[in-house]
């Protein structure tokens, strides 16, 4: 049974505006190449997440099937498909090492279902629909995901103590949670008939409509990062908290991450520049990161990003003192980034053959430029 829909007034007050055209200077020259470690010893695989304990999750090929895995201190634990299935994949891992994902058979008799993996035990999560998938998991063990009804309608779901509750939405055929904080608040979006997607915050059994776009992230204060995208209007971004909004700048073209100190990463269009640049937004100030695409950031303000040249990607980590380049391993020509934790570990992959990689940030060279 779907829960009662409650809409709250949004976009109430503009409390700050930063102008990207007057951004701070960009990062220092690249100085620190960082070698990576192949997590699967030559096997084909991909990473999908990382926690602060250094546990890496992903999926790999096993006997022609796709299986999820957990890497911990050099040991790989396989997360097998269910009986009769041929597929499992991982989505998220919390600080306790609990892992979410989905498993079943691709086109076969076993439906794809959400699961949680705890201390070596895989539990399929009950669903109110036909198929399901699990995504974000918070440090209390609450899990957000989706359930698909027989008619194809996709509903956002929150599992608490593994008991599902379908979340209210705007009456369309698709809703999903993209991030979940430790208070059980979810950020995501829902399709609104005739209007496209609207950003949503789910909190205390209610849904808050944040306007056209998608809610990308929510921190433990309840700040929500929204990528605003309305038909016929340029994409931009803002932070929302308790009915008040903070705009990030007129030239912002996308947002991709939020940390627990309210810092935001994304892309913007600098005046006169031929291509978009990455940025780090901190309390109303934008720092230009150069022609990169930020993908993640940690609570220290280090930014995980990628550049592209001749079709090949180069992973980077940018902080206040230096830039680290993430060296491809396993014969791959390029490196793709997935996640950065608070201990300076990066999960990603080298593309050729799909090599799951972990980089440990270190630099023996002197920092480039002043702190």
């Amino acid at each position: 049974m779907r829960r009662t829909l409650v809409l709250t007034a949004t976009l109430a007050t503009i409390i700050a505006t930063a102008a990207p055209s007057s951004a701070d200077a960009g990062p220092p020259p690249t100085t620190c190449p960082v070698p990576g470690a192949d997590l699967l010893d030559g096997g084909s695989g991909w990473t999908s997440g990382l926690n602060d304990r250094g546990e890496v999750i992903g999926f790999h090929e096993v006997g022609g099937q796709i299986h999820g895995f957990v890497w911990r201190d050099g040991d790989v634990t396989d997360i097998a498909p269910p009986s009769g299935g041929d597929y499992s994949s991982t989505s998220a891992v919390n600080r306790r090492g609990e892992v979410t994902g989905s498993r079943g058979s691709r086109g076969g008799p076993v439906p794809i279902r959400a699961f949680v993996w705890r201390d070596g035990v895989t539990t399929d999560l009950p669903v109110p629909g036909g198929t399901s998938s699990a995504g974000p998991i918070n440090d209390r063990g609450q899990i957000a995901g989706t359930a698909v009804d027989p008619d194809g309608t996709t509903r956002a779901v929150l599992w608490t103590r593994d008991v599902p509750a379908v979340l209210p939405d705007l009456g369309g055929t698709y809703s999903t949670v993209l991030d979940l904080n430790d208070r059980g608040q979810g950020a995501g979006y829902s399709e609104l008939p005739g209007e496209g997607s609207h950003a949503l915050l789910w909190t205390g059994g209610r849904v808050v409509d944040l306007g056209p776009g998608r809610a990308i992230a929510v921190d433990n204060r309840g700040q929500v990062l929204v990528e605003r995208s309305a038909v016929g209007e340029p994409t931009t971004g803002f932070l929302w908290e308790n009915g008040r909004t903070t705009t990030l700048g007129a030239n912002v073209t996308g947002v991709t991450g939020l940390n627990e100190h309210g810092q935001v990463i994304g892309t913007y269009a600098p005046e006169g520049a031929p291509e978009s640049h990455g940025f780090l937004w901190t309390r109303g100030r934008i720092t230009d990161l150069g022609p990169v695409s930020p993908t993640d950031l940690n609570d220290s303000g280090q930014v995980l990003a990628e550049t592209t040249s001749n079709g090949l990607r180069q992973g980077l980590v940018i902080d206040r003192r230096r830039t680290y380049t993430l060296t491809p391993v396993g014969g791959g020509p390029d490196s793709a980034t997935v996640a950065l934790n608070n201990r300076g570990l990066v999960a990603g992959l080298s593309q050729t053959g799909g090599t799951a990689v972990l980089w440990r940030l270190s630099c023996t060279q002197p920092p480039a430029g002043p702190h």
Side-chain angles (χ1 to χ4, degrees), residues 71-356:
W71 180 94
R72 179 186 295 162
D73 295 329
D75 294 325
V76 176
T77 300
D78 184 71
I79 300 178
S83 177
D86 62 5
Y87 168 83
S88 70
S89 69
T90 59
S91 300
V93 57
N94 67 10
R95 292 186 180 182
R96 303 193 305 197
E98 299 171 319
V99 178
T100 63
S102 56
R103 64 181 195 153
S105 58
R106 296 168 292 177
V110 181
I112 301 293
R113 292 287 176 84
F115 73 81
V116 59
W117 180 94
R118 299 184 180 100
D119 297 323
V121 177
T122 304
T123 301
D124 291 322
L125 296 169
V127 292
T131 62
S132 61
S133 62
I137 179 170
N138 66 20
D139 290 337
R140 295 168 53 194
Q142 290 179 297
I143 300 163
T146 56
V148 183
D149 295 338
D151 66 359
T153 299
T154 300
R155 305 294 187 197
V157 177
L158 180 68
W159 285 271
T160 302
R161 298 185 180 91
D162 297 352
V163 176
V166 176
L167 299 175
D169 57 31
L170 302 182
T173 60
Y174 188 88
S175 60
T176 188
V177 177
L178 300 179
D179 195 23
L180 183 67
N181 70 12
D182 291 335
R183 296 162 57 184
Q185 296 174 306
Y189 65 96
S190 176
E191 294 298 324
L192 185 63
E195 293 191 25
S197 63
H198 270 221
L200 299 184
L201 170 69
W202 287 276
T203 178
R206 302 178 301 125
V207 62
V208 182
D209 184 354
L210 304 178
R214 302 185 305 155
I216 301 295
V218 56
D219 66 15
N220 287 326
R221 285 175 48 186
Q223 286 191 116
V224 184
L225 177 61
V226 178
E227 183 175 80
R228 178 176 172 81
S229 55
V231 176
E233 297 181 11
T235 299
T236 186
F238 62 87
L239 280 172
W240 181 97
E241 185 176 11
N242 295 325
R244 300 185 301 172
T245 64
T246 303
T247 62
L248 302 176
N251 292 354
V252 168
T253 57
V255 291
T256 52
L258 168 71
N259 69 12
E260 288 299 324
H261 299 295
Q263 293 178 296
V264 175
I265 54 171
T267 55
Y268 80 107
E271 258 183 55
E275 57 187 326
S276 65
H277 283 199
F279 71 81
L280 172 66
W281 183 95
T282 306
R283 294 187 295 274
R285 292 293 303 175
I286 280 189
T287 299
D288 187 302
L289 302 178
V292 302
S293 299
T295 58
D296 198 8
L297 81 164
N298 62 20
D299 292 336
S300 299
Q302 293 179 311
V303 178
L304 184 63
E306 294 177 354
T307 61
T308 303
S309 177
N310 297 321
L312 299 179
R313 290 184 288 182
Q314 171 67 65
L316 307 167
V317 175
I318 303 167
D319 68 18
R320 294 167 297 177
R321 303 175 62 192
R322 56 175 69 91
T323 298
Y324 303 87
T325 58
L326 307 177
T327 305
V329 299
D334 60 348
S335 57
T337 60
V338 172
L340 168 68
N341 74 6
N342 289 321
R343 295 171 51 200
L345 300 178
V346 178
L349 61 149
S350 291
Q351 291 293 80
T352 295
T355 303

